[in-house]
Amino acid sequence: IGTEFMILDTGGWEVKGDDLSIGISAQAEAAVSMADAVIFVVDATTALTDNDEGISKLVRSSPIPVLLAANKIDGDRQEDLIFQYWGLGLGEPFPISALHGRGMGELLDALVAVLPTDLEGEGGKTAGIPRLAIIGRPNVGKSTLLNLLLGEERVLVSPVSGTTRDPIN
């Protein structure tokens, strides 16, 4: 039996930036405020950044469950890369590869376990369907994760940062 939920893919959240970046970050924050759960995606192949720290503060201040997805872990030898992300205070990072589907079963099992089952449609939420926000800094693989979850190429994926500018349901 599957679990139905609505996904909101957000643009990259950044501590500083131009007016466009600040607007994209504000939309990502709004998506978190409307969500019933969050998947915070980090690029495990790069060092922890101020943006990662800022996002962790944002989601830790929210009362909703947060799953930390350490993306771009394409094989067992790369799993040691996730240890730096324990310091964000969000629990155990899930080593995944959104591009190849690696680790998705564990992440989805954890997601289903934290999604609410008794929504009433208050506060702008859709009755009966939990909302999941995918958040992270630019170019960590949020849209790739969305496409994998949907099983189709719903959103554009590019190595160029800033491809996703508006939240996508």
Side-chain angles (χ1 to χ4, degrees):
I1 290 180
T3 300
E4 191 173 319
F5 53 91
M6 181 180 292
I7 305 172
L8 297 109
D9 179 26
T10 65
W13 191 95
E14 297 181 272
V15 174
K16 300 177 202 168
D18 57 20
D19 289 342
L20 179 60
S21 296
I22 291 168
I24 292 169
S25 295
Q27 288 181 336
E29 291 172 24
V32 169
S33 71
M34 295 186 319
D36 297 299
V38 170
I39 294 179
F40 172 18
V41 183
V42 296
D43 179 348
T45 65
T46 64
L48 193 64
T49 69
D50 290 342
N51 290 328
D52 295 321
E53 295 275 356
I55 296 167
S56 71
K57 289 177 186 171
L58 169 72
V59 296
R60 279 195 324 257
S61 69
S62 174
I64 61 176
V66 177
L67 301 174
L68 179 59
N71 193 25
K72 302 186 183 181
I73 301 294
D74 296 329
D76 292 338
R77 291 186 297 215
Q78 292 179 306
E79 285 197 16
D80 288 347
L81 297 173
I82 70 170
F83 291 117
Q84 66 180 322
Y85 289 97
W86 275 94
L88 293 176
L90 296 170
E92 182 174 1
F94 289 87
I96 68 164
S97 172
L99 185 61
H100 302 293
R102 185 178 191 279
M104 292 307 300
E106 293 84 0
L107 179 62
L108 284 173
D109 287 346
L111 174 62
V112 169
V114 300
L115 287 175
T117 58
D118 58 345
L119 295 177
E120 298 179 14
E122 295 178 16
K125 297 180 183 175
T126 305
I129 301 175
R131 296 183 99 171
L132 167 69
I134 301 174
I135 190 167
R137 62 186 162 91
N139 221 30
V140 296
K142 298 176 302 294
S143 295
T144 303
L145 177 60
L146 173 70
N147 285 340
L148 181 72
L149 291 171
L150 294 176
E152 65 178 287
E153 296 297 314
R154 168 73 170 83
V155 295
L156 180 64
V157 174
S158 168
V160 177
S161 294
T163 304
T164 304
R165 304 226 172 168
D166 291 320
I168 298 170
N169 288 331

